[in-house]
Amino acid sequence: MRKSISRLTLALLSGFLSIHAAAQVPRPAIALAAQTHKPFVPRFARTEQNPEVVWIDSCDKPVYPKASLRNEESGTVVLRLKIAANGAILENVVARSSGFRELDKSAIAGFATCKYRPATINGRAVQSNAQISFIFRLD
Amino acid sequence: MRSLLLLLCFPMLAFGAAQQPLGPVQCDSNSTAVKLSEGQLAAAKQTEAALRNGSIEANLVNVDALNLLALAQYEWYRQSEASVTARTVADIWKREAPSAAIAARVQAHARQQLAYTSCKAAETLFDAALDIARKAVGEGDMLAVEIMSDLAVLYRVQRRLPERLALYKRIATALRADPTLGTRVPQVYIEMSDIAFRNKEYGEAEQHARMAIKHLDNGAEAPSLALAAALNEAAAALYGQGKLQEGDKLRDRAKNIVRVANGLGPVEVKVQQQPLDTVASLYKRGQVDAALAKALQELRASEAKEVALVTALTALQADPISQQVPIGEVRKRELASASRAIETQKYRTVYALADAADIHHSQERLAEAEPLYRKAFDMVADKSIKSPIAARLAHGLGIILRRKGELTEAERFQHIAHANAQAEMGAEHPDALEAQVELARLYAAQGKLPEATKLYTLLATREEQRSDADRTLLSEHLMPLAQLQLQQGDLAAAEPNFVKVAQLWRQGGTKNDRFLIASLEGLARLYAKQGKTADAKSIDAQLAALGRAK
């Protein structure tokens, strides 16, 4: 009985430690028997969920800077955020400027305060990148 | 009308997401402030003139008119004068004998200033109101707590975290002394939750949010939006602690409350909209051949477009205007733009190659997959190391090479995969972890036992420390680790790892589970090596029982 279970165990264990008879290897590899391997699953087949702002009202809203209003500055700021697996913002940078420094600064100052639900892969929280476009428009 | 619009584009390369308007902008923004009426502005002008010619005095009789003047001065872009007038209003009130009624009136003035986004004036008046309230009724009174809460909102708008934190401590002291205050001003707990969250104290943030929920959740048919806010605060705090499912439940409830409040009705079922004919969706539905055909079609289209773009750039470069020295700015920009378009298209080709390679790989067609991986990898290899696609390609290629027995080369690619994934997505990202698992396998396969042991130890420790630790993943790290330790004669280290796996699968596992059998088998061998005959026999008996059950 012990022997048969042992064979089964070794066969199952070999999924973890993949062994190849390797002439190039000077030291003997772990002596596990027959090899099975986990099927390869493409990354696009994973169940992925993107990060989300928990609640838009919880963000400190970007302010239209007074000087920008006076100078009639407008434009779109594209922010790139790196969001940690706990929803915290690790990095925020201007990926594309509006062309006006004050507008860019205002957008960052606002959106750096949002709270995020982290991205998930197969249900587990992971670090991710997100992009936010913010439009300052004078109608 | 001046407007601010927000466009959230997730994931990073997703374009064209729908635009949605953002709510009103707060503090110090005339663009979205409530505006004074013509009548109010005229009255403020009269007050200003009367003050100037001495027909009225800055005293209690005229205090409301003065507060209105401060608002008007703010609206006329005369912020400094507005601050001075607000200071005058505060001084008038401070000259009176402190009372709760006066504190409440000053608070009302301050709130009015805040509504008009005149933050400096609002702060002056809130400070005065708090001072009067403390003298009249003490800081533990509900009025003082309300004023502190208002001030905390102002500090939040102004992003003054240190001042918010100091205020939060004072509010917390008052609430501890008299918990009934929280029942009367539950919003204070929402504010306190937010402050704790910003301070990265997620557990505390959750507690405060739950207190707010407790006070606000009165079973009303139409729950208040404040309850939705509290639920969202709690959800964010739970996400911060890695409790995704718990957070999602609260957030879903908050969404329903908001939908009902907006007359949309509750959301009963979440429907994930997914395009039907993408490579991923076809593959996920099991239509592997269709997915491959789609990937190859995209590949051909991308390569054709790349050729067209290169041809266009060549023609542009050959144009006489491009040959001029110095070259004109417009042409310079056109050439740069054409080069960027080719680079972007190249990446589309790389992704299409990766998709096709992955599909072949998943179907065990390694000979078809390998050249596609190599072609794609060569296209990105000279680019930035921080590239998730380079990590994906190196990982897939590394696995194929391992299976072909080319272990040294496989290890080289897995190192690239790990470095890329870690740099771009962090050490805990599945892409980085998968590369590490492969590296550990490769070390073990090459007889580099200490390296393999170290890596499996790291992987197992990481998984154990997760709040959502997965026993299958943990066992996948612990079992080879214990085997390696046994192999190297480190029996003392191997034993607890085998035991850990056995315990993981005894609790709620099926009796014939592979991990349980493997761990017991490992323990039996370990005890036999240690000469612990009785323990070995006990394990044998357990294995025999499992065998019978099976």
mmCIF file of all heavy atoms in Angstrom, chain B residues 402-431:
data_model
loop_
_atom_site.group_PDB
_atom_site.id
_atom_site.type_symbol
_atom_site.label_atom_id
_atom_site.label_comp_id
_atom_site.label_asym_id
_atom_site.label_seq_id
_atom_site.Cartn_x
_atom_site.Cartn_y
_atom_site.Cartn_z
ATOM 1 N N ARG B 402 12.176 25.447 -20.846
ATOM 2 C CA ARG B 402 12.316 24.474 -19.749
ATOM 3 C C ARG B 402 11.821 23.111 -20.185
ATOM 4 O O ARG B 402 12.461 22.097 -19.945
ATOM 5 C CB ARG B 402 11.525 24.939 -18.515
ATOM 6 C CG ARG B 402 11.405 23.856 -17.441
ATOM 7 C CD ARG B 402 10.746 24.343 -16.173
ATOM 8 N NE ARG B 402 9.390 24.855 -16.323
ATOM 9 C CZ ARG B 402 8.310 24.087 -16.464
ATOM 10 N NH1 ARG B 402 8.428 22.770 -16.525
ATOM 11 N NH2 ARG B 402 7.120 24.642 -16.569
ATOM 12 N N ARG B 403 10.684 23.118 -20.861
ATOM 13 C CA ARG B 403 10.108 21.842 -21.274
ATOM 14 C C ARG B 403 10.953 21.160 -22.334
ATOM 15 O O ARG B 403 10.904 19.941 -22.490
ATOM 16 C CB ARG B 403 8.666 22.055 -21.748
ATOM 17 C CG ARG B 403 7.805 22.526 -20.576
ATOM 18 C CD ARG B 403 6.370 22.559 -20.921
ATOM 19 N NE ARG B 403 5.885 21.236 -21.290
ATOM 20 C CZ ARG B 403 4.749 21.020 -21.937
ATOM 21 N NH1 ARG B 403 3.990 22.049 -22.273
ATOM 22 N NH2 ARG B 403 4.372 19.797 -22.234
ATOM 23 N N LYS B 404 11.727 21.969 -23.076
ATOM 24 C CA LYS B 404 12.645 21.380 -24.056
ATOM 25 C C LYS B 404 13.963 20.960 -23.407
ATOM 26 O O LYS B 404 14.851 20.416 -24.073
ATOM 27 C CB LYS B 404 12.949 22.405 -25.169
ATOM 28 C CG LYS B 404 11.796 22.605 -26.137
ATOM 29 C CD LYS B 404 12.024 23.804 -27.034
ATOM 30 C CE LYS B 404 13.147 23.545 -28.027
ATOM 31 N NZ LYS B 404 13.415 24.754 -28.845
ATOM 32 N N GLY B 405 14.137 21.262 -22.125
ATOM 33 C CA GLY B 405 15.359 20.887 -21.420
ATOM 34 C C GLY B 405 16.462 21.920 -21.526
ATOM 35 O O GLY B 405 17.577 21.696 -21.044
ATOM 36 N N GLU B 406 16.156 23.063 -22.129
ATOM 37 C CA GLU B 406 17.183 24.115 -22.237
ATOM 38 C C GLU B 406 17.078 25.015 -20.997
ATOM 39 O O GLU B 406 16.563 26.131 -21.036
ATOM 40 C CB GLU B 406 16.967 24.913 -23.534
ATOM 41 C CG GLU B 406 17.155 24.065 -24.778
ATOM 42 C CD GLU B 406 16.736 24.796 -26.053
ATOM 43 O OE1 GLU B 406 16.735 26.037 -26.060
ATOM 44 O OE2 GLU B 406 16.389 24.102 -27.031
ATOM 45 N N LEU B 407 17.601 24.479 -19.899
ATOM 46 C CA LEU B 407 17.334 25.094 -18.600
ATOM 47 C C LEU B 407 18.068 26.422 -18.387
ATOM 48 O O LEU B 407 17.519 27.346 -17.790
ATOM 49 C CB LEU B 407 17.690 24.108 -17.480
ATOM 50 C CG LEU B 407 16.985 22.749 -17.554
ATOM 51 C CD1 LEU B 407 17.318 21.909 -16.334
ATOM 52 C CD2 LEU B 407 15.472 22.899 -17.675
ATOM 53 N N THR B 408 19.297 26.494 -18.836
ATOM 54 C CA THR B 408 20.060 27.734 -18.637
ATOM 55 C C THR B 408 19.393 28.891 -19.368
ATOM 56 O O THR B 408 19.223 29.984 -18.815
ATOM 57 C CB THR B 408 21.503 27.558 -19.165
ATOM 58 O OG1 THR B 408 22.009 26.333 -18.639
ATOM 59 C CG2 THR B 408 22.389 28.693 -18.742
ATOM 60 N N GLU B 409 19.011 28.623 -20.617
ATOM 61 C CA GLU B 409 18.345 29.653 -21.419
ATOM 62 C C GLU B 409 16.975 30.003 -20.817
ATOM 63 O O GLU B 409 16.581 31.173 -20.775
ATOM 64 C CB GLU B 409 18.207 29.128 -22.859
ATOM 65 C CG GLU B 409 17.790 30.156 -23.887
ATOM 66 C CD GLU B 409 18.820 31.254 -24.139
ATOM 67 O OE1 GLU B 409 19.806 31.329 -23.387
ATOM 68 O OE2 GLU B 409 18.590 32.064 -25.049
ATOM 69 N N ALA B 410 16.281 28.967 -20.354
ATOM 70 C CA ALA B 410 14.972 29.185 -19.723
ATOM 71 C C ALA B 410 15.124 30.084 -18.505
ATOM 72 O O ALA B 410 14.322 31.009 -18.297
ATOM 73 C CB ALA B 410 14.359 27.847 -19.312
ATOM 74 N N GLU B 411 16.165 29.838 -17.723
ATOM 75 C CA GLU B 411 16.396 30.646 -16.510
ATOM 76 C C GLU B 411 16.650 32.111 -16.890
ATOM 77 O O GLU B 411 16.136 33.026 -16.248
ATOM 78 C CB GLU B 411 17.574 30.079 -15.720
ATOM 79 C CG GLU B 411 17.750 30.763 -14.377
ATOM 80 C CD GLU B 411 18.995 30.312 -13.623
ATOM 81 O OE1 GLU B 411 19.358 29.119 -13.696
ATOM 82 O OE2 GLU B 411 19.619 31.177 -12.984
ATOM 83 N N ARG B 412 17.431 32.298 -17.950
ATOM 84 C CA ARG B 412 17.736 33.671 -18.390
ATOM 85 C C ARG B 412 16.431 34.426 -18.727
ATOM 86 O O ARG B 412 16.225 35.559 -18.310
ATOM 87 C CB ARG B 412 18.653 33.624 -19.623
ATOM 88 C CG ARG B 412 19.129 34.989 -20.093
ATOM 89 C CD ARG B 412 20.125 34.854 -21.225
ATOM 90 N NE ARG B 412 19.517 34.567 -22.522
ATOM 91 C CZ ARG B 412 18.964 35.476 -23.319
ATOM 92 N NH1 ARG B 412 18.935 36.743 -22.942
ATOM 93 N NH2 ARG B 412 18.431 35.134 -24.481
ATOM 94 N N PHE B 413 15.540 33.738 -19.445
ATOM 95 C CA PHE B 413 14.282 34.402 -19.823
ATOM 96 C C PHE B 413 13.391 34.663 -18.601
ATOM 97 O O PHE B 413 12.723 35.692 -18.523
ATOM 98 C CB PHE B 413 13.531 33.573 -20.870
ATOM 99 C CG PHE B 413 14.012 33.860 -22.271
ATOM 100 C CD1 PHE B 413 14.804 32.945 -22.955
ATOM 101 C CD2 PHE B 413 13.696 35.057 -22.898
ATOM 102 C CE1 PHE B 413 15.262 33.217 -24.235
ATOM 103 C CE2 PHE B 413 14.153 35.337 -24.174
ATOM 104 C CZ PHE B 413 14.943 34.418 -24.848
ATOM 105 N N GLN B 414 13.384 33.712 -17.658
ATOM 106 C CA GLN B 414 12.537 33.939 -16.475
ATOM 107 C C GLN B 414 13.073 35.083 -15.622
ATOM 108 O O GLN B 414 12.288 35.799 -14.980
ATOM 109 C CB GLN B 414 12.396 32.656 -15.632
ATOM 110 C CG GLN B 414 11.598 31.546 -16.299
ATOM 111 C CD GLN B 414 10.176 31.954 -16.708
ATOM 112 O OE1 GLN B 414 9.656 32.994 -16.319
ATOM 113 N NE2 GLN B 414 9.553 31.140 -17.552
ATOM 114 N N HIS B 415 14.378 35.272 -15.609
ATOM 115 C CA HIS B 415 14.937 36.428 -14.898
ATOM 116 C C HIS B 415 14.449 37.722 -15.550
ATOM 117 O O HIS B 415 14.075 38.676 -14.861
ATOM 118 C CB HIS B 415 16.475 36.388 -14.917
ATOM 119 C CG HIS B 415 17.055 35.547 -13.819
ATOM 120 N ND1 HIS B 415 16.838 35.823 -12.486
ATOM 121 C CD2 HIS B 415 17.840 34.438 -13.860
ATOM 122 C CE1 HIS B 415 17.459 34.913 -11.754
ATOM 123 N NE2 HIS B 415 18.069 34.049 -12.558
ATOM 124 N N ILE B 416 14.436 37.719 -16.895
ATOM 125 C CA ILE B 416 13.946 38.913 -17.611
ATOM 126 C C ILE B 416 12.462 39.129 -17.286
ATOM 127 O O ILE B 416 12.020 40.243 -16.999
ATOM 128 C CB ILE B 416 14.145 38.755 -19.142
ATOM 129 C CG1 ILE B 416 15.639 38.725 -19.470
ATOM 130 C CG2 ILE B 416 13.449 39.885 -19.903
ATOM 131 C CD1 ILE B 416 15.962 38.351 -20.904
ATOM 132 N N ALA B 417 11.711 38.022 -17.313
ATOM 133 C CA ALA B 417 10.268 38.113 -17.029
ATOM 134 C C ALA B 417 10.042 38.687 -15.639
ATOM 135 O O ALA B 417 9.218 39.589 -15.444
ATOM 136 C CB ALA B 417 9.629 36.725 -17.140
ATOM 137 N N HIS B 418 10.802 38.182 -14.669
ATOM 138 C CA HIS B 418 10.619 38.626 -13.288
ATOM 139 C C HIS B 418 11.006 40.095 -13.133
ATOM 140 O O HIS B 418 10.271 40.881 -12.520
ATOM 141 C CB HIS B 418 11.430 37.746 -12.334
ATOM 142 C CG HIS B 418 11.275 38.166 -10.906
ATOM 143 N ND1 HIS B 418 12.304 38.694 -10.172
ATOM 144 C CD2 HIS B 418 10.185 38.189 -10.102
ATOM 145 C CE1 HIS B 418 11.852 39.006 -8.964
ATOM 146 N NE2 HIS B 418 10.578 38.703 -8.900
ATOM 147 N N ALA B 419 12.156 40.466 -13.695
ATOM 148 C CA ALA B 419 12.627 41.857 -13.554
ATOM 149 C C ALA B 419 11.629 42.830 -14.175
ATOM 150 O O ALA B 419 11.304 43.864 -13.587
ATOM 151 C CB ALA B 419 13.990 42.010 -14.217
ATOM 152 N N ASN B 420 11.113 42.488 -15.339
ATOM 153 C CA ASN B 420 10.147 43.357 -16.025
ATOM 154 C C ASN B 420 8.849 43.478 -15.233
ATOM 155 O O ASN B 420 8.342 44.576 -15.021
ATOM 156 C CB ASN B 420 9.822 42.795 -17.408
ATOM 157 C CG ASN B 420 10.818 43.262 -18.442
ATOM 158 O OD1 ASN B 420 10.595 44.245 -19.118
ATOM 159 N ND2 ASN B 420 11.946 42.581 -18.534
ATOM 160 N N ALA B 421 8.330 42.329 -14.810
ATOM 161 C CA ALA B 421 7.041 42.335 -14.105
ATOM 162 C C ALA B 421 7.169 43.063 -12.775
ATOM 163 O O ALA B 421 6.300 43.851 -12.401
ATOM 164 C CB ALA B 421 6.551 40.906 -13.886
ATOM 165 N N GLN B 422 8.261 42.816 -12.070
ATOM 166 C CA GLN B 422 8.438 43.443 -10.761
ATOM 167 C C GLN B 422 8.594 44.960 -10.899
ATOM 168 O O GLN B 422 8.004 45.717 -10.133
ATOM 169 C CB GLN B 422 9.642 42.865 -10.040
ATOM 170 C CG GLN B 422 9.805 43.442 -8.646
ATOM 171 C CD GLN B 422 10.871 42.739 -7.857
ATOM 172 O OE1 GLN B 422 10.599 41.865 -7.055
ATOM 173 N NE2 GLN B 422 12.108 43.127 -8.101
ATOM 174 N N ALA B 423 9.379 45.365 -11.883
ATOM 175 C CA ALA B 423 9.619 46.803 -12.054
ATOM 176 C C ALA B 423 8.330 47.530 -12.401
ATOM 177 O O ALA B 423 8.067 48.623 -11.912
ATOM 178 C CB ALA B 423 10.650 47.028 -13.150
ATOM 179 N N GLU B 424 7.504 46.928 -13.210
ATOM 180 C CA GLU B 424 6.318 47.626 -13.693
ATOM 181 C C GLU B 424 5.102 47.412 -12.801
ATOM 182 O O GLU B 424 4.323 48.323 -12.592
ATOM 183 C CB GLU B 424 6.004 47.159 -15.123
ATOM 184 C CG GLU B 424 4.893 47.902 -15.798
ATOM 185 C CD GLU B 424 5.140 49.399 -15.976
ATOM 186 O OE1 GLU B 424 6.273 49.879 -15.781
ATOM 187 O OE2 GLU B 424 4.171 50.094 -16.285
ATOM 188 N N MET B 425 4.942 46.183 -12.264
ATOM 189 C CA MET B 425 3.701 45.863 -11.561
ATOM 190 C C MET B 425 3.884 45.548 -10.074
ATOM 191 O O MET B 425 2.918 45.270 -9.386
ATOM 192 C CB MET B 425 3.015 44.648 -12.224
ATOM 193 C CG MET B 425 2.880 44.736 -13.731
ATOM 194 S SD MET B 425 2.059 46.226 -14.311
ATOM 195 C CE MET B 425 0.411 45.932 -13.768
ATOM 196 N N GLY B 426 5.111 45.523 -9.594
ATOM 197 C CA GLY B 426 5.345 45.255 -8.173
ATOM 198 C C GLY B 426 5.631 43.793 -7.905
ATOM 199 O O GLY B 426 5.262 42.912 -8.686
ATOM 200 N N ALA B 427 6.296 43.544 -6.768
ATOM 201 C CA ALA B 427 6.757 42.192 -6.444
ATOM 202 C C ALA B 427 5.610 41.216 -6.177
ATOM 203 O O ALA B 427 5.769 40.008 -6.312
ATOM 204 C CB ALA B 427 7.676 42.260 -5.235
ATOM 205 N N GLU B 428 4.438 41.760 -5.784
ATOM 206 C CA GLU B 428 3.321 40.876 -5.419
ATOM 207 C C GLU B 428 2.417 40.544 -6.602
ATOM 208 O O GLU B 428 1.470 39.784 -6.457
ATOM 209 C CB GLU B 428 2.457 41.560 -4.346
ATOM 210 C CG GLU B 428 3.205 42.001 -3.112
ATOM 211 C CD GLU B 428 3.589 40.850 -2.223
ATOM 212 O OE1 GLU B 428 2.842 39.867 -2.209
ATOM 213 O OE2 GLU B 428 4.650 40.923 -1.579
ATOM 214 N N HIS B 429 2.692 41.146 -7.748
ATOM 215 C CA HIS B 429 1.818 40.925 -8.899
ATOM 216 C C HIS B 429 1.938 39.480 -9.384
ATOM 217 O O HIS B 429 3.038 38.914 -9.372
ATOM 218 C CB HIS B 429 2.201 41.883 -10.028
ATOM 219 C CG HIS B 429 1.158 41.982 -11.098
ATOM 220 N ND1 HIS B 429 1.100 41.092 -12.149
ATOM 221 C CD2 HIS B 429 0.127 42.843 -11.261
ATOM 222 C CE1 HIS B 429 0.064 41.416 -12.921
ATOM 223 N NE2 HIS B 429 -0.531 42.467 -12.403
ATOM 224 N N PRO B 430 0.820 38.879 -9.798
ATOM 225 C CA PRO B 430 0.872 37.485 -10.247
ATOM 226 C C PRO B 430 1.923 37.237 -11.337
ATOM 227 O O PRO B 430 2.538 36.173 -11.362
ATOM 228 C CB PRO B 430 -0.536 37.226 -10.790
ATOM 229 C CG PRO B 430 -1.393 38.231 -10.145
ATOM 230 C CD PRO B 430 -0.552 39.408 -9.811
ATOM 231 N N ASP B 431 2.127 38.204 -12.226
ATOM 232 C CA ASP B 431 3.124 38.019 -13.284
ATOM 233 C C ASP B 431 4.522 37.849 -12.694
ATOM 234 O O ASP B 431 5.307 37.003 -13.147
ATOM 235 C CB ASP B 431 3.137 39.232 -14.237
ATOM 236 C CG ASP B 431 1.844 39.359 -15.031
ATOM 237 O OD1 ASP B 431 0.919 38.566 -14.769
ATOM 238 O OD2 ASP B 431 1.756 40.247 -15.886
#
